[in-house]
C-alpha cells in the first residue's frame, strides 16, 4: 500500500474538478486499483455489526488480498451485486425510533472505495457552511460557526429547520439528476444505482423502496450531502442570501439545519418559501419541529412576536441560549440539551444495572470510557456546569447499583467517597474551547 500514491490520485481528481467546475466527469474508475482497495478496507470500521450475510471483518481478513481483488474485479465489470441492508432501530431523543440500515462488511468496503472517488469532486463544490460527514469538519465546527455568526453578525431571529424523515423520502430520480451534473462515470453510477435498489431486509421480509437512502451505509451521508447541496445550499447562496434585507447565516450538518437572520422580516420571508422549495424535491418541513425563534437577548418592553416560538433552540445536542460571561458580557451559551442529558444518564443506568456484579475494576474502566466520551462531545466552553452535573449523577447511579450487589443495603456516602479514592472516575473537562 502506498498512501502517497493514493493521495496523489485523489489530488488529481480534485484538480480536475477544480479545472472543470459544473462539468460532468466521465472517467474516474481507472483510479481504482489494489492500493485503492486496500485503503478502502483500512478505512472501513472493523467493529460494526454484521450485515445480512453474517460476515465479520475477521472473516473477510482471512483471505484479504484475494477478496479485495475479486471485489475490485466485480465492481469494474458490473458483476457486483449489492446485498440488501439489515434494518434495525435506535431510539431517538423524542422517544421515537430511527431506522438504521446495516450493510454487509464487503459492501461497506465497496461503498468506501466509491466514496473515495467522489469526495475530492464534491469537496470542491460543497459550501463552507456545510459541516456534516466531511473531511476535516465536525459538529463542533458547526456549533462554533453558528455561535460566531449569531454574536458577530447580530443575528437575532433563528429558523430551526427540521426536514421530516429526510433519509426515508430522498427522491431517487432527483438524486440521479443531481449526480448527472458532476459524475457520469458508468462504473460509479452503476454502483450507486445498485445501492439505491438493494432494498432493506426486516424480520425476514425484503422491502424495495422507490425513494430514500438507508442510514448506516458508508455512501449514504455523501449522497445526502449531494442532495441537500443542490436543494438547500445552492438555493441559499444564489437566491436567498442576495435578497436578504439584513445579514443572515446558514449552518447545516447533514439534514440538521439552522438559519439565523438580522431582521424578523427576512426570517418570515424565508420560512414562507422554504417549504415550497423543499416540496419541489419531495421533501417536507416537520410542522411541529420547524420553529421561528425570537432569539433576542433583551426584548424592548418585554415584547414577543406572536408568530415566534420560544427564546432558545436545540442544535446538534446543545441548547442555545443567552447568558453572561464572567466579565458580565452577553454571549451565546451552548449547554447539553435536556433530552441528551437524560439519554446519557439512562445509558449509564442501564449499563450499571446489567453489569453490577462485574469486578469493580471492570466497571470503573467502562464507566470512565463512557464519561470521557461524554466530555469529548459536550465539553465545550460554557458547559462546565452541565458536565459537573453529569459526573455527579454518574457517581450516584454507580453507588445505587453497587449497593444492590449484596444484602447490606445502601453504601454510606463516607464509605463510598473512600471507595472513589481507590477507583476514581474522570473529572469533567472542557475539550473544545471556543473563546
Amino acid at each position: 500500500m502506498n498512501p502517497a500514491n493514493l493521495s496523489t490520485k485523489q489530488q488529481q481528481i480534485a484538480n480536475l474538478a477544480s479545472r472543470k467546475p459544473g462539468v460532468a466527469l466521465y472517467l474516474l474508475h481507472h483510479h481504482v486499483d489494489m492500493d485503492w482497495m486496500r485503503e478502502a478496507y483500512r478505512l472501513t470500521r472493523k467493529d460494526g455489526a454484521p450485515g445480512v450475510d453474517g460476515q465479520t471483518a475477521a472473516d473477510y481478513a482471512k483471505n484479504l488480498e484475494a477478496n479485495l481483488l475479486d471485489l475490485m474485479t466485480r465492481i469494474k465489470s458490473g458483476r457486483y451485486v449489492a446485498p440488501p441492508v439489515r434494518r434495525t432501530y435506535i431510539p431517538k431523543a423524542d422517544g421515537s425510533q430511527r431506522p438504521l440500515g446495516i450493510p454487509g462488511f464487503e459492501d461497506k468496503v465497496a461503498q468506501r472505495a466509491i466514496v473515495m472517488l467522489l469526495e475530492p469532486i464534491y469537496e470542491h463544490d460543497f459550501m463552507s457552511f456545510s459541516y456534516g460527514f466531511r473531511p476535516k469538519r465536525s459538529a463542533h465546527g458547526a456549533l462554533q460557526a453558528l455561535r460566531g455568526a449569531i454574536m458577530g453578525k447580530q443575528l437575532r431571529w433563528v429558523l430551526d429547520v427540521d426536514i421530516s424523515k429526510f433519509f426515508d423520502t430522498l427522491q431517487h430520480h432527483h438524486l440521479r439528476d443531481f449526480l448527472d451534473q458532476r459524475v457520469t462515470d458508468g462504473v460509479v453510477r452503476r454502483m450507486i444505482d445498485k445501492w439505491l435498489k438493494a432494498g432493506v431486509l426486516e424480520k425476514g421480509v425484503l422491502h424495495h423502496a422507490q425513494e430514500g437512502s438507508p442510514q448506516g451505509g458508508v455512501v449514504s451521508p455523501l449522497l445526502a450531502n449531494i442532495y441537500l447541496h443542490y436543494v438547500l445550499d445552492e438555493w441559499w447562496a444564489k437566491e436567498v442570501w442576495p435578497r436578504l434585507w439584513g445579514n443572515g447565516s446558514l449552518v447545516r450538518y447533514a439534514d440538521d439545519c439552522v438559519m439565523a437572520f438580522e431582521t424578523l422580516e427576512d426570517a418570515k420571508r424565508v420560512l414562507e418559501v422554504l417549504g415550497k422549495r423543499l416540496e419541489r424535491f419531495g421533501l417536507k418541513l416537520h410542522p411541529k419541529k420547524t420553529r421561528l425563534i425570537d432569539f433576542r437577548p433583551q426584548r424592548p418592553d418585554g415584547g414577543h412576536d406572536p408568530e415566534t416560538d420560544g427564546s432558545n433552540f436545540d442544535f446538534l445536542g446543545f441548547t442555545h441560549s443567552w447568558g453572561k460571561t464572567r466579565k458580565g458580557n452577553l454571549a451565546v451559551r451552548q449547554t447539553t440539551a435536556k433530552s441528551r442529558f437524560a439519554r446519557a444518564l439512562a445509558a449509564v443506568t442501564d449499563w450499571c444495572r446489567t453489569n453490577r456484579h462485574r469486578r469493580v475494576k471492570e466497571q470503573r474502566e467502562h464507566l470512565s470510557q463512557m464519561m470521557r466520551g461524554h466530555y469529548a462531545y459536550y465539553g465545550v466552553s460554557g458547559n462546565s456546569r452541565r458536565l459537573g452535573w453529569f459526573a455527579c449523577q454518574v457517581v450516584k447511579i454507580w453507588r445505587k447499583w453497587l449497593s444492590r450487589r449484596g444484602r447490606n443495603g445502601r453504601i454510606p456516602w463516607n464509605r463510598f467517597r473512600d471507595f472513589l479514592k481507590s477507583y476514581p472516575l474522570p473529572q469533567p473537562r472542557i475539550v473544545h474551547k471556543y473563546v
Side-chain angles (χ1 to χ4, degrees):
M1 187 189 308
N2 188 343
N5 184 38
L6 289 171
S7 178
T8 299
K9 288 183 177 181
Q10 288 191 305
Q11 189 58 51
Q12 289 173 353
I13 297 172
N15 292 339
L16 184 62
S18 177
R19 291 197 306 271
K20 298 184 176 182
V23 176
L25 306 181
Y26 60 89
L27 190 58
L28 297 170
H29 71 271
H30 68 282
H31 291 289
V32 179
D33 54 18
M34 280 300 289
D35 277 351
W36 192 278
M37 297 304 297
R38 292 186 191 101
E39 181 67 3
Y41 168 80
R42 187 187 70 81
L43 294 174
T44 301
R45 282 186 58 182
K46 313 299 190 296
D47 58 349
V52 295
D53 58 1
Q55 186 183 55
T56 65
D59 296 333
Y60 199 78
K62 291 177 181 176
N63 198 10
L64 182 61
E65 288 294 305
N67 286 335
L68 291 178
L69 178 59
D70 180 57
L71 175 59
M72 181 184 70
T73 303
R74 283 181 285 135
I75 290 174
K76 290 191 172 185
S77 66
R79 292 186 292 107
Y80 182 79
V81 178
V85 299
R86 180 169 64 86
R87 171 150 291 174
T88 187
Y89 292 88
I90 57 175
K92 294 176 66 175
D94 60 4
S96 61
Q97 291 187 314
R98 184 192 301 275
L100 188 69
I102 302 178
F105 181 77
E106 183 179 64
D107 202 46
K108 293 178 185 177
V109 177
Q111 290 187 31
R112 177 59 64 187
I114 298 301
V115 167
M116 287 164 58
L117 284 173
L118 295 177
E119 267 186 352
I121 301 169
Y122 285 103
E123 278 303 302
H124 174 268
D125 294 356
F126 287 161
M127 302 292 179
S128 61
F129 48 76
S130 168
Y131 288 86
F133 305 102
R134 295 179 56 189
K136 300 180 181 179
R137 287 175 170 256
S138 67
H140 294 99
L143 290 164
Q144 187 170 2
L146 178 60
R147 181 181 187 273
I150 290 174
M151 294 177 62
K153 297 181 180 180
Q154 302 292 307
L155 309 181
R156 298 296 182 259
W157 306 93
V158 172
L159 190 55
D160 184 5
V161 179
D162 189 285
I163 302 175
S164 182
K165 298 181 178 179
F166 168 70
F167 282 92
D168 295 333
T169 56
L170 179 151
Q171 302 289 304
H172 293 177
H173 65 283
H174 286 307
L175 176 60
R176 292 187 182 98
D177 289 343
F178 296 148
L179 289 166
D180 284 344
Q181 300 184 41
R182 215 51 175 121
V183 177
T184 54
D185 182 291
V187 170
V188 174
R189 294 297 300 274
R190 186 165 55 234
M191 290 293 290
I192 292 174
D193 273 345
K194 288 180 178 182
W195 288 317
L196 292 176
K197 297 175 181 178
V200 175
L201 188 67
E202 183 175 6
K203 297 180 179 179
V205 179
L206 182 60
H207 303 276
H208 289 281
Q210 299 302 314
E211 59 185 24
S213 176
Q215 296 182 69
V218 177
V219 76
S220 291
L222 179 58
L223 297 181
N225 271 334
I226 293 170
Y227 202 92
L228 288 175
H229 169 75
Y230 289 101
V231 173
L232 196 61
D233 298 355
E234 279 201 342
W235 174 71
W236 170 272
K238 296 179 179 179
E239 298 185 35
V240 176
W241 169 255
R243 291 179 172 85
L244 294 180
W245 295 338
N247 227 324
S249 181
L250 165 65
V251 175
R252 182 175 68 80
Y253 188 93
D255 60 327
D256 290 326
C257 171
V258 170
M259 299 175 178
F261 304 89
E262 185 178 0
T263 70
L264 175 59
E265 291 75 14
D266 279 338
K268 289 181 176 179
R269 287 166 57 216
V270 172
L271 178 58
E272 184 179 351
V273 297
L274 177 60
K276 299 174 184 176
R277 171 68 182 182
L278 294 178
E279 285 179 4
R280 283 182 55 190
F281 300 96
L283 305 176
K284 290 183 179 180
L285 289 174
H286 195 292
K288 294 183 179 180
K289 294 182 180 178
T290 299
R291 304 187 303 148
L292 176 57
I293 296 143
D294 183 348
F295 200 61
R296 291 175 295 176
Q298 297 171 332
R299 296 168 182 167
D301 303 321
H304 178 71
D305 191 282
E307 296 185 43
T308 62
D309 180 19
S311 58
N312 55 45
F313 63 96
D314 290 353
F315 180 58
L316 298 180
F318 289 85
T319 296
H320 293 65
S321 59
W322 286 97
K324 287 189 176 181
T325 66
R326 292 179 179 178
K327 295 182 179 180
N329 299 321
L330 283 169
V332 175
R333 295 176 59 214
Q334 295 171 326
T335 56
T336 311
K338 290 182 180 179
S339 59
R340 296 293 187 92
F341 189 84
R343 189 170 71 183
L345 291 180
V348 173
T349 299
D350 289 344
W351 192 89
C352 286
R353 180 179 60 246
T354 306
N355 298 276
R356 62 184 181 273
H357 294 299
R358 284 193 180 192
R359 293 171 54 204
V360 170
K361 183 178 179 181
E362 292 180 16
Q363 292 188 45
R364 183 251 176 192
E365 289 174 353
H366 188 87
L367 287 174
S368 297
Q369 184 179 5
M370 295 179 78
M371 295 176 78
R372 282 192 289 267
H374 188 86
Y375 301 152
Y377 187 77
Y378 293 103
V380 304
S381 298
N383 197 30
S384 56
R385 181 177 296 180
R386 286 286 172 93
L387 296 183
W389 291 352
F390 178 77
C392 182
Q393 291 300 316
V394 171
V395 169
K396 291 180 179 179
I397 293 168
W398 196 22
R399 171 177 173 258
K400 171 184 174 179
W401 290 105
L402 283 179
S403 297
R404 298 192 180 189
R405 282 162 60 109
R407 300 179 180 178
N408 297 326
R410 189 174 291 269
I411 302 173
W413 270 111
N414 57 347
R415 279 181 52 200
F416 196 70
R417 291 191 186 96
D418 291 337
F419 167 82
L420 289 175
K421 292 178 182 178
S422 300
Y423 298 96
L425 295 173
Q427 293 300 305
R429 58 187 292 258
I430 300 299
V431 179
H432 308 278
K433 298 180 180 181
Y434 297 162
V435 180

